[in-house]
Amino acid sequence: MKNFFLATYLAVKEVIRNRGRFLLVALVIALITLLVLFIAALGEGLANGNRQYVANLDAQLIVFLEKSDYSISASRLETNTVKAVRRVEGVEDAGPVYTSTTEIVSLPEPLKVSMLGAEAGKPGMPSIIDGRNFRGGEAREAVMDRNVALRSDLKIGDSIQIRSTQGTDDKFFDLVIVGLVDGQSYFFQPTIFVPAATWEKIRPQSEAELNSDTPYPNIIAVKLTDPAQLDAMSTRLADEVSNIEVATLEVTINNIPGYSAQQGTVQTQGVFTLLIGILVIGGFFQIQILQKVPQIGVLKAIGSSNSVVGLAAVIQIIVVTALGVGIGGAMTYLFSLGFPPTIPLVFNGSRSLIAVALLLGIGPLGGMVSIIYAVRIEPLKALRLG
């Protein structure tokens, strides 16, 4: 305990005496912290923008068209497939999901949105948090997700006009917002939900599709009676229903175009930023040790043990790193307050804590060489007496 207090005193005393130098390196660590936290937030934000709707589905399995490679946009199922899936033993409920994109043009600035068709109260349709669900049939009603509300001044009861290209013409349709659901971004766009028949009527269509009034679902969200039976139910569904393939939510998310590559890129950036931090901290403290070799020699000559010298170096590195991470965390919070909701930054608690823990760990790791060097200094050689 005595050695610990002595090491702490020596470490803190030097930091205070050379506060300008140590503040400078703390600010460098703060900037690295800012960069790491923003990369983590960007990764989470981009992931949410791509997977949020699928990840929040009240379902355990997703049914695709056979040989669609678990790609939602490439899958288009027959209408009777929904009934066939619902009849399979072990399926509690199933809901078709219809996907497309459109643009709300009645706003001061047009807003591109994902327009999803679903059945109210079925898997695939999120829970209403305000207002009510849309009616069935061709009701010109829509439920918007919170991201639409954040990017516009729309509220329940407002009317919106959307534009869809059908054939070679742009057509405009009016919808009334009747409900609100939580964040449900899909393919990096906020989302509106409409009844299946309405979706078929107002979605963008090619010339060949204009003659059909039958909506064909892209996927079917399947809720199981026993969620633990994922593998068994996947096999059973594939055996009992023709022309389908079945995936879990995780597999579905990983097969969203660009999702895996995007997350891999962001994570690689974060790793390299941490490596840069290790090199910066290691280089600074190595120079520090080299500059005070005579002082360390004096300490050892008057009886200070290697444990005191090594512990003092470790405490000093931890203090400076913690100061830098604290400043960087405060800067990140202040900057985050000024970003508009259109920028995909999500400061997830667990991701941010992991990033902070890694940042605190790179200090001692980066300074390991200097700590080992300090412990190995011989008093006589340090004082040039040997």
Side-chain angles (χ1 to χ4, degrees):
M1 187 61 70
K2 181 181 177 181
N3 285 349
F4 175 77
F5 284 118
L6 178 59
T8 303
Y9 172 79
L10 291 172
V12 175
K13 187 72 173 179
E14 185 180 5
V15 170
I16 294 173
R17 179 169 293 178
N18 300 297
R19 52 187 173 273
R21 183 189 304 172
F22 285 102
L23 180 60
L24 183 62
V25 75
L27 290 176
V28 172
I29 295 172
L31 291 176
I32 293 172
T33 300
L34 181 70
L35 182 57
V36 168
L37 288 176
F38 267 107
I39 288 174
L42 179 63
E44 187 67 20
L46 290 173
N48 268 353
N50 216 347
R51 75 182 180 202
Q52 196 173 45
Y53 169 68
V54 177
N56 292 332
L57 281 172
D58 183 24
Q60 290 79 41
L61 294 174
I62 304 296
V63 171
F64 295 83
L65 178 66
E66 190 177 23
K67 298 180 181 179
S68 62
D69 295 326
Y70 306 123
S71 172
I72 296 175
S73 56
S75 173
R76 198 176 186 200
L77 295 159
E78 294 292 334
T79 54
N80 58 6
T81 305
V82 180
K83 293 180 180 178
V85 168
R86 287 172 178 164
R87 287 196 295 265
V88 174
E89 185 181 354
V91 172
E92 182 176 330
D93 206 350
V97 178
Y98 310 79
T99 68
S100 63
T101 60
T102 188
E103 187 177 34
I104 302 175
V105 296
S106 53
L107 299 172
E109 290 187 12
L111 177 64
K112 292 186 181 296
V113 296
S114 293
M115 183 171 67
L116 304 185
E119 292 184 8
K122 296 291 184 180
M125 183 63 202
S127 300
I128 302 294
I129 60 174
D130 195 13
R132 62 173 176 83
N133 229 319
F134 46 69
R135 292 172 293 180
E138 293 187 10
R140 296 298 172 91
E141 297 178 341
V143 171
M144 66 177 176
D145 86 321
R146 194 187 296 274
N147 297 311
V148 176
L150 288 173
R151 298 188 186 191
S152 66
D153 293 326
L154 291 173
K155 55 186 183 296
I156 294 173
D158 290 345
S159 293
I160 59 172
Q161 186 177 72
I162 66 167
R163 176 175 59 201
S164 290
T165 301
Q166 298 190 341
T168 57
D169 300 322
D170 281 344
K171 294 189 178 181
F172 299 88
F173 303 93
D174 293 324
L175 298 170
V176 178
I177 301 295
V178 297
L180 178 71
V181 295
D182 210 350
Q184 299 290 331
S185 291
Y186 178 72
F187 276 2
F188 302 110
Q189 293 177 336
T191 306
I192 60 173
F193 297 87
V194 295
T198 304
W199 176 85
E200 177 61 27
K201 190 78 174 177
I202 68 177
R203 71 180 176 91
Q205 302 177 56
S206 65
E207 195 75 43
E209 293 174 311
L210 291 175
N211 297 324
S212 173
D213 291 328
T214 304
Y216 295 94
N218 292 90
I219 57 173
I220 301 170
V222 181
K223 186 176 183 180
L224 303 179
T225 305
D226 183 4
Q229 300 296 318
L230 286 177
D231 293 337
M233 286 304 302
S234 295
T235 303
R236 183 180 297 173
L237 282 165
D239 289 343
E240 297 186 18
V241 182
S242 60
N243 299 322
I244 67 166
E245 56 187 17
V246 185
T248 61
L249 296 186
E250 183 179 359
V251 171
T252 302
I253 290 170
N254 288 331
N255 280 276
I256 292 174
Y259 176 81
S260 297
Q262 173 200 92
Q263 289 302 296
T265 301
V266 172
Q267 289 168 9
T268 301
Q269 290 174 341
V271 169
F272 274 104
T273 305
L274 288 171
L275 289 175
I276 291 169
I278 291 173
L279 294 175
V280 168
I281 294 171
F284 172 80
F285 282 103
Q286 181 67 14
I287 294 171
Q288 279 288 104
I289 293 295
L290 289 174
Q291 288 179 341
K292 60 183 184 182
V293 167
Q295 292 92 324
I296 294 174
V298 171
L299 280 173
K300 289 191 174 184
I302 63 175
S304 295
S305 64
N306 284 334
S307 61
V308 170
V309 173
L311 191 57
V314 172
I315 292 171
Q316 192 174 86
I317 293 170
I318 291 173
V319 168
V320 175
T321 304
L323 178 62
V325 171
I327 295 172
M331 290 169 60
T332 303
Y333 174 73
L334 292 175
F335 278 127
S336 69
L337 297 177
F339 282 98
T342 51
I343 297 179
L345 291 173
V346 176
F347 291 93
N348 177 285
S350 59
R351 274 204 178 195
S352 297
L353 286 174
I354 292 171
V356 168
L358 290 172
L359 287 162
L360 290 172
I362 67 173
L365 185 61
M368 191 61 66
V369 174
S370 60
I371 294 168
I372 294 171
Y373 184 79
V375 170
R376 290 181 175 179
I377 291 174
E378 296 182 9
L380 293 179
K381 289 185 179 179
L383 297 172
R384 298 182 180 178
L385 298 174

